Amino acid sequence: NVWLYYVQKKFLKGITYHLLEIKIPKGLAKTPKSMENFFSTLYAIKISPPKFKEKYFQGKMQLCLSFEIVGTSAGIAFYVRTPSDYRNLVESQIYAQYPEAELVETDDYTHFLPALLPNKDYDLWGTEFVLVKPSPYPIKTYPYFEEAKEEKRLDSLASLVEAMSKLKEDERVWLQILIKPADDRWKKEGDQIVDEMLGKKPPKKEDPFYFVWQFLRNLIKAPIEPPTWEEAPKESGDQGLRMLTLSPGEKEIIEAIQKKIAKLGFETTIRFLYIDRRSSFSRLNIASIMGSFQQFNTQNLNAFRPSKSATTKGGGLFKKQEEFLKKILLYQKYKTRAFSPENQTILNTEELATIFHFPIVSVEAPGLRRLEAKKGEPPVNLPTA
């Protein structure tokens, strides 16, 4: 494991990354469905499992993309951090869904703060969000917030951007969503949950000596009676009967799981940081951001919760020392965009589009920066000389 960690770190150092700011147009009326289509195209970055030499000597691994929402007193900005190999795909697909948007390569905003936090001037609080239940259970997604009439349409990011719009000077809210394509194991887990709810028993493993035993038995009895072969036990019809006895809530859960696993899934790490000067550090803003994630939660399906291992809170005899160490580690993880396998969840494209998309025109958060003018192509017959 130590060797694998070493070669993977060496592999990642050779990757060139680009941080692109996404400037959203004014009067955007597109729903998160456009962003869901965008996330679906990103599944193309999935690589085949690296071979032994590639994995243990070259450190080859699946690279991830980072989607970030940053709030300061100057406004709210949307970013995507992509390896150079994926930049063309990311840019082309964003323009395909949002033709009037602009992508501008920019300096890393995390470099404007000290390399090590907390310090004597700044303090921070942060966590990583995980799911309460297994990944096949879905959270509440954007179709729940939508209405047929535009004036009644809600945006799932409205509460988040409103909270970010009220930040004072030196306050910062950083939200980071790291994604990389998931394999099919989570889908199989979802099928297993559905089968258990339907009372469907898993198929029994065949005994390798069963055929040999039947053959020897028939060989001995051959002079007296013709050979007989026992048929495999047939599946009973209890599953259809169980479907009829399910409660409406159980049927809703089964349908929701089947709907989630039918879409493409991504391994996801969601990281949140709140940074401010020690003299004016306010936990009210932390509560506002944490509360904005509660709207995606349901009692019967799934919900977000802070990870105990990543939350910057200490305990025990060395509470202050543990809290200080957690803050340093989480800050460094954010700056390096490090994926957290221990706190990863699997979200499908619909769920990702729910927690990261460009707010629609009805969201009037004052801190939300939008393009005031639209760029257009010059006329074809424009004289150039």
Side-chain angles (χ1 to χ4, degrees), residues 122-180:
Y122 286 92
D123 197 6
L124 66 88
W125 189 95
T127 188
E128 292 176 353
F129 289 100
V130 294
L131 293 175
V132 174
K133 295 182 181 180
S135 292
Y137 289 90
I139 60 171
K140 192 189 300 180
T141 55
Y142 69 85
Y144 176 87
F145 299 90
E146 292 183 344
E147 293 285 347
K149 295 182 178 180
E150 186 173 345
E151 62 270 16
K152 293 184 178 181
R153 186 176 296 165
L154 304 177
D155 194 305
S156 55
L157 284 187
S159 60
L160 178 66
V161 296
E162 284 289 348
M164 287 184 174
S165 296
K166 298 178 181 178
L167 299 176
K168 58 182 183 296
E169 190 176 358
D170 292 325
E171 274 188 309
R172 292 168 175 83
V173 170
W174 295 352
L175 183 65
Q176 185 179 85
I177 305 167
L178 300 164
I179 67 168
K180 58 182 178 181

Side-chain angles (χ1 to χ4, degrees), residues 123-126 168 171 274 276 280-290 311-313 323 327:
D123 197 6
L124 66 88
W125 189 95
K168 58 182 183 296
E171 274 188 309
Y274 170 74
D276 193 12
S280 57
F281 196 89
S282 173
R283 291 189 174 271
L284 293 176
N285 292 311
I286 299 174
S288 299
I289 304 301
M290 298 293 288
T311 303
T312 54
K313 182 179 181 181
E323 182 175 323
K327 288 179 180 180

Side-chain angles (χ1 to χ4, degrees), residues 95-116:
Y95 286 133
Q97 301 298 329
Y98 302 94
E100 297 175 351
E102 289 185 16
L103 272 74
V104 180
E105 186 166 3
T106 182
D107 296 330
D108 193 343
Y109 58 89
T110 64
H111 294 169
F112 297 122
L113 285 177
L116 187 65

Side-chain angles (χ1 to χ4, degrees), residues 87-345:
R87 179 175 179 174
N88 184 52
L89 172 67
V90 170
E91 289 184 335
S92 61
Q93 295 306 317
I94 287 181
Y95 286 133
Q97 301 298 329
Y98 302 94
E100 297 175 351
E102 289 185 16
L103 272 74
V104 180
E105 186 166 3
T106 182
D107 296 330
D108 193 343
Y109 58 89
T110 64
H111 294 169
F112 297 122
L113 285 177
L116 187 65
L117 286 183
N119 57 19
K120 64 178 181 179
D121 297 320
Y122 286 92
D123 197 6
L124 66 88
W125 189 95
T127 188
E128 292 176 353
F129 289 100
V130 294
L131 293 175
V132 174
K133 295 182 181 180
S135 292
Y137 289 90
I139 60 171
K140 192 189 300 180
T141 55
Y142 69 85
Y144 176 87
F145 299 90
E146 292 183 344
E147 293 285 347
K149 295 182 178 180
E150 186 173 345
E151 62 270 16
K152 293 184 178 181
R153 186 176 296 165
L154 304 177
D155 194 305
S156 55
L157 284 187
S159 60
L160 178 66
V161 296
E162 284 289 348
M164 287 184 174
S165 296
K166 298 178 181 178
L167 299 176
K168 58 182 183 296
E169 190 176 358
D170 292 325
E171 274 188 309
R172 292 168 175 83
V173 170
W174 295 352
L175 183 65
Q176 185 179 85
I177 305 167
L178 300 164
I179 67 168
K180 58 182 178 181
D183 54 27
D184 293 336
R185 283 178 292 181
W186 75 285
K187 183 181 182 301
K188 294 178 181 177
E189 183 183 2
D191 290 330
Q192 184 178 354
I193 294 172
V194 172
D195 289 343
E196 290 176 357
M197 294 187 67
L198 293 174
K200 184 179 178 182
K201 297 180 180 179
K204 295 181 178 180
K205 295 182 179 179
E206 294 185 1
D207 187 353
F209 299 102
Y210 182 69
F211 175 79
V212 178
W213 176 80
Q214 283 201 91
F215 175 79
L216 293 176
R217 184 194 62 180
N218 288 327
L219 183 63
I220 295 172
K221 292 183 178 182
I224 306 171
E225 60 182 33
T228 58
W229 302 89
E230 295 182 6
E231 296 181 0
K234 296 181 179 180
E235 191 175 325
S236 62
D238 294 342
Q239 183 179 352
L241 182 62
R242 170 64 178 156
M243 194 67 183
L244 296 175
T245 59
L246 289 174
S247 66
E250 290 174 324
K251 290 180 180 178
E252 181 183 355
I253 293 173
I254 291 175
E255 291 175 359
I257 292 176
Q258 290 177 332
K259 181 181 177 182
K260 175 172 179 176
I261 63 178
K263 296 190 176 185
L264 299 174
F266 289 82
E267 296 178 12
T268 308
T269 294
I270 304 175
R271 191 173 289 129
F272 158 59
L273 279 183
Y274 170 74
I275 304 172
D276 193 12
R277 289 190 175 273
R278 289 185 178 273
S279 58
S280 57
F281 196 89
S282 173
R283 291 189 174 271
L284 293 176
N285 292 311
I286 299 174
S288 299
I289 304 301
M290 298 293 288
S292 65
F293 274 83
Q294 296 297 314
Q295 62 182 328
F296 307 124
N297 300 350
T298 56
Q299 294 287 351
N300 61 335
L301 294 174
N302 221 332
F304 284 118
R305 66 170 178 83
S307 167
K308 292 182 179 179
S309 62
T311 303
T312 54
K313 182 179 181 181
L317 183 61
F318 302 99
K319 179 179 178 180
K320 291 185 178 179
Q321 290 82 354
E322 182 183 352
E323 182 175 323
F324 180 72
L325 181 60
K326 280 188 171 183
K327 288 179 180 180
I328 291 176
L329 292 177
L330 192 65
Y331 181 65
Q332 294 303 317
K333 281 185 175 181
Y334 191 103
K335 291 189 65 174
T336 59
R337 277 77 177 182
F339 206 84
S340 294
E342 68 277 8
N343 288 326
Q344 75 173 20
T345 60

